[in-house]
């Protein structure tokens, strides 16, 4: 069956920086189904040739392999452009005629990729419906929705309702590019294809879990967008909660879209809601110095660029094991890591080391930049009686692999074309995630809010974040990438 990917918002950054480079890499690796064509749709006045030339330049700059002119020309022969405005019903009628002409008599699976401004998603979906472009009589019809998926629970529900008017849930693919990252998928393999981790992956052995997504970059040119969104909407509602779900979920019976997502949603349903004083004791918010002077950011902005949140999962596996989530811009370095901090041994017969404390076992799952695992354990210091030292065992995910680590979009696009939604968010998952984030957002606007702290660019957040952990007898694993 042929496939047609229709990109609505074809002249935007996402298309040129992510989608086309990923599709080209897949083409070169022979991973695209045969007869896959791409049709761009946007307001810019462009011919097929002009769009192909623009994509050649951007793919050369952003693609992940050495540049190959001839390969791009072969790929580009299946790339087409159709001018049109999302507000204009006639433009969708023309798009339909163009797609029919390109596909000819053969039925094709069509994927409508919403890569446009989020405010236009509802209109775009309505227009697809009214123009009959979602009719399935000549092949499957799917739609892909980029984040942000709403800006709170009400808007996410409204968007789901709009989408469901036109597409059944099984044909809606909500992107969270963190689920396309190799280490996140590998976490499922680590947990559920091995027998040695699962028995200790619970409250009996784990003291707490830390999930850190630290970014070294500041908000850059996205000041206006970011000021209206902040770190909870931009990173927590989606990426951090996805990492939490994959870390905490039970084993699904099969790697099947609904079974995987059922287990993930159960985790979100088990998260204890915060109330009253919880917001001040269990959340920290901060802004990096200089944020309010960024172009596009309102003077005196109170938007948080860093947050730390303590969540409790009330189920048999995780009762009383806190999950500490934190993320921020302008931090020390770029690292995404999940730290499983194990309990101390119940009794220690060895002498306390010179450092004054034992480092109990820790598994560091480094999601990026380099992907891999590091296990921290105690070992004897060679030739030094029974003195102990902290030791590590490293696993680099790319070791033994011949190919480069693919960009997250490659994996997600392959799954999308194959009709496998396991690594995409389902409507209930997105809504439940907002149900967790919305009360924190509301509390931060109320007298229950913790103070808005500040932190210097290049720090691990505000000093209060360290103190907060220390008050709980714990400390953050503030270490830049442990693997390179
Ligand atoms: C995006 C956020 O979803 O994820 C950005 O909007 C953030 O603010 C980005 O920088 C981080 O993604 P990655 O893959 O670089 O960790």
């Amino acid at each position: 069956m042929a496939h047609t990917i229709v990109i609505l918002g074809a002249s935007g950054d996402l298309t040129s920086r992510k989608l086309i480079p990923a599709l080209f890499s897949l083409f070169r690796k022979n991973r695209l189904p045969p007869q896959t064509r791409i049709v761009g749709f946007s307001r810019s006045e462009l011919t097929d040739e002009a769009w192909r030339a623009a994509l050649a330049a951007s793919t050369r700059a952003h693609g992940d392999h050495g540049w190959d002119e001839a390969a791009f020309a072969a790929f580009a022969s299946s790339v087409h452009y159709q001018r049109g405005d999302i507000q204009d019903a006639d433009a969708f009628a023309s798009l339909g005629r163009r797609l029919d002409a390109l596909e000819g008599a053969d039925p094709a699976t069509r994927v409508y990729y919403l890569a446009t401004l989020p405010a236009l998603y509802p209109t775009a979906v309505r227009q697809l419906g009214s123009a009959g472009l979602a009719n399935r009589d000549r092949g499957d019809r799917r739609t892909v929705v980029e984040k942000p998926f709403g800006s709170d629970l009400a808007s996410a529900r409204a968007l789901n309702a709009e989408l469901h008017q036109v597409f059944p849930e099984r044909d809606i693919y909500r992107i969270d590019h963190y689920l396309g990252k190799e280490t996140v998928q590998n976490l499922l393999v680590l947990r559920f294809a091995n027998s040695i981790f699962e028995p200790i992956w619970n409250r009996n052995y784990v003291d707490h879990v830390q999930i850190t997504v630290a970014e070294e970059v500041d908000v850059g040119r996205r000041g206006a967008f970011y000021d209206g969104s902040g770190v909870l909407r931009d990173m927590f509602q989606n990426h951090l909660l996805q990492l939490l779900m994959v870390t905490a979920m039970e084993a699904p019976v099969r790697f099947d879209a609904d079974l995987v997502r059922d287990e993930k949603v159960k985790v979100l349903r088990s998260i204890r809601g915060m109330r009253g004083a919880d917001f001040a004791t269990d959340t920290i918010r901060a802004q990096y110095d200089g944020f309010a002077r960024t172009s596009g950011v309102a003077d005196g902005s109170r938007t948080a660029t860093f947050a730390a949140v303590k969540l409790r999962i009330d189920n048999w596996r995780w009762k009383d094991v806190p999950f500490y989530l934190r993320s921020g811009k302008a931090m020390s370095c770029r690292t995404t890591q999940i730290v499983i901090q194990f309990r101390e041994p119940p009794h220690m017969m060895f002498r306390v080391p010179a450092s004054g404390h034992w480092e109990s076992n820790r598994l560091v799952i480094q999601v990026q930049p380099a992907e891999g695992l590091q296990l921290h354990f105690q070992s004897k210091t060679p030739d030094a009686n029974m003195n102990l030292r902290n030791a590590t065992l490293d696993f680099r995910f790319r070791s033994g692999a011949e190919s480069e680590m693919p960009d997250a979009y490659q994996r997600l696009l392959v799954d999308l074309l194959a009709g496998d939604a396991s690594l995409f968010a389902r409507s209930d998952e997105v809504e439940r995630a907002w149900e967790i984030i919305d009360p924190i957002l509301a509390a931060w606007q109320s007298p229950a809010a913790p103070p808005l702290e500040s932190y210097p660019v290049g720090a691990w957040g505000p000093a209060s974040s360290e103190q907060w952990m220390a008050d709980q007898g714990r400390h953050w694993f503030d270490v830049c990438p442990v693997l390179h």
Side-chain angles (χ1 to χ4, degrees):
M1 163 90 75
H3 288 76
T4 307
I5 305 172
V6 183
I7 305 179
L8 307 178
S11 48
D13 261 12
L14 178 72
T15 307
S16 55
R17 284 172 176 263
K18 292 286 183 191
L19 300 183
I20 297 293
L23 287 164
F24 178 48
S25 290
L26 292 172
F27 171 82
R28 288 180 70 183
K29 290 191 258 181
N30 258 328
R31 301 261 177 84
L32 286 182
Q35 290 192 323
T36 299
R37 62 179 81 72
I38 298 161
V39 179
F41 178 87
S42 79
R43 283 189 306 178
S44 312
E45 196 71 67
L46 289 171
T47 59
D48 282 1
E49 286 67 33
W51 196 44
R52 289 172 187 164
L55 293 179
S58 52
T59 306
R60 189 173 192 154
H62 303 294
D64 63 356
H65 285 279
W67 178 246
D68 180 338
E69 196 84 42
F72 194 83
F75 167 75
S77 65
S78 306
V79 173
H80 310 272
Y81 185 80
Q82 173 74 21
R83 190 194 166 275
D85 186 334
I86 286 180
Q87 308 286 357
D88 175 10
D90 290 343
F92 281 81
S94 309
L95 174 64
R97 287 192 293 275
R98 180 84 191 275
L99 295 175
D100 288 343
L102 287 168
E103 287 166 0
D106 300 332
T109 296
R110 280 190 203 160
V111 171
Y112 300 105
Y113 202 118
L114 304 184
T116 181
L117 293 176
L120 295 174
Y121 293 169
T123 314
V125 173
R126 253 177 267 140
Q127 299 276 32
L128 288 169
S130 318
L133 295 179
N135 293 349
R136 304 165 62 94
D137 42 1
R138 295 191 65 246
D140 284 350
R141 301 290 180 255
R142 301 178 190 140
T143 189
V144 187
V145 191
E146 271 289 335
K147 79 169 271 260
F149 197 92
S151 55
D152 56 15
L153 177 61
S155 53
R157 277 195 180 138
L159 180 54
N160 274 332
E162 290 278 2
L163 286 161
H164 290 150
Q165 292 282 323
V166 178
F167 294 95
E169 176 62 28
R170 68 169 185 283
D171 292 330
I172 302 170
Y173 290 71
R174 296 173 192 78
I175 290 247
D176 186 313
H177 75 282
Y178 267 58
L179 289 176
K181 292 187 190 277
E182 291 277 328
T183 336
V184 177
Q185 295 159 41
N186 197 38
L187 182 51
L188 291 171
V189 176
L190 180 85
R191 292 194 52 203
F192 303 131
N194 293 296
S195 55
I196 59 169
F197 296 108
E198 231 11 54
I200 55 170
W201 209 266
N202 58 50
R203 64 192 307 277
N204 298 325
Y205 294 91
V206 177
D207 176 74
H208 72 276
V209 176
Q210 298 181 14
I211 300 179
T212 297
V213 181
E215 293 191 274
E216 195 173 358
V217 292
D218 59 18
V219 297
R221 290 183 295 132
R222 297 165 77 220
F225 158 78
Y226 196 90
D227 197 24
S229 141
V231 67
L232 287 183
R233 289 192 173 93
D234 191 44
M235 299 296 289
F236 277 68
Q237 186 273 342
N238 35 68
H239 310 322
L240 277 100
L241 285 179
Q242 286 294 344
L243 296 178
L244 175 138
M245 285 186 260
V246 176
T247 307
M249 69 194 267
E250 300 299 317
V253 176
R254 281 190 310 281
F255 192 68
D256 160 282
D258 269 323
L259 298 179
V260 169
R261 296 183 298 178
D262 285 347
E263 294 304 336
K264 285 170 59 193
V265 173
K266 279 192 213 162
V267 174
L268 295 186
R269 288 197 191 295
S270 315
I271 292 180
R272 193 187 304 170
M274 291 189 199
R275 269 180 278 158
D278 296 346
F279 297 103
T281 53
D282 291 351
T283 71
I284 289 185
R285 58 183 186 136
Q287 189 184 81
Y288 66 80
D289 294 337
F291 171 74
R293 293 191 298 279
T294 310
S295 148
V297 174
D299 270 354
S301 163
R302 311 263 308 150
T303 300
T305 62
F306 169 96
V309 173
K310 177 180 178 181
L311 293 176
R312 296 177 180 81
I313 303 179
D314 284 340
N315 64 17
W316 276 60
R317 186 187 287 271
W318 296 118
K319 181 84 181 165
D320 297 330
V321 178
F323 278 66
Y324 297 98
L325 276 53
R326 69 174 169 168
S327 179
K329 299 271 185 205
M331 290 178 66
S332 314
C333 51
R334 175 174 184 250
T335 185
T336 296
Q337 47 180 244
I338 301 167
V339 174
I340 312 291
Q341 178 64 62
F342 293 95
R343 291 184 188 285
E344 289 175 4
H347 169 70
M348 257 300 189
M349 62 182 194
F350 303 106
R351 257 187 298 129
V352 177
S355 64
H357 69 283
W358 306 105
E359 286 281 344
S360 29
N361 296 140
R362 184 187 289 127
L363 181 65
V364 180
I365 300 157
Q366 188 171 294
V367 175
Q368 60 189 19
E371 299 153 307
L373 309 173
Q374 189 171 70
L375 179 67
H376 295 196
F377 61 102
Q378 293 296 322
S379 151
K380 195 177 109 42
T381 308
D383 197 18
N385 300 326
M386 285 308 271
N387 292 344
L388 305 197
R389 61 173 176 168
N390 297 317
T392 54
L393 260 180
D394 293 351
F395 166 70
R396 285 176 184 74
F397 189 48
R398 78 159 73 80
S399 60
E402 275 155 31
S403 48
E404 278 180 55
M405 288 293 118
D407 177 76
Y409 275 92
Q410 292 186 31
R411 168 66 195 253
L412 296 176
L413 286 164
V414 167
D415 285 3
L416 167 69
L417 293 171
D420 180 351
S422 313
L423 298 176
F424 294 83
R426 205 167 57 185
S427 58
D428 50 347
E429 196 175 330
V430 173
E431 291 182 14
R432 181 65 198 132
W434 279 118
E435 279 169 19
I436 293 163
I437 297 302
D438 264 9
I440 307 178
L441 286 166
W444 283 8
Q445 303 291 327
S446 78
L452 177 69
E453 316 269 356
S454 62
Y455 61 100
V457 170
W460 285 97
S464 58
S465 162
E466 277 312 312
Q467 190 54 47
W468 181 66
M469 279 301 243
D471 292 346
Q472 300 174 64
R474 303 187 167 110
H475 62 272
W476 288 114
F477 184 69
D478 282 347
V479 181
C480 283
V482 291
L483 302 169
H484 297 279

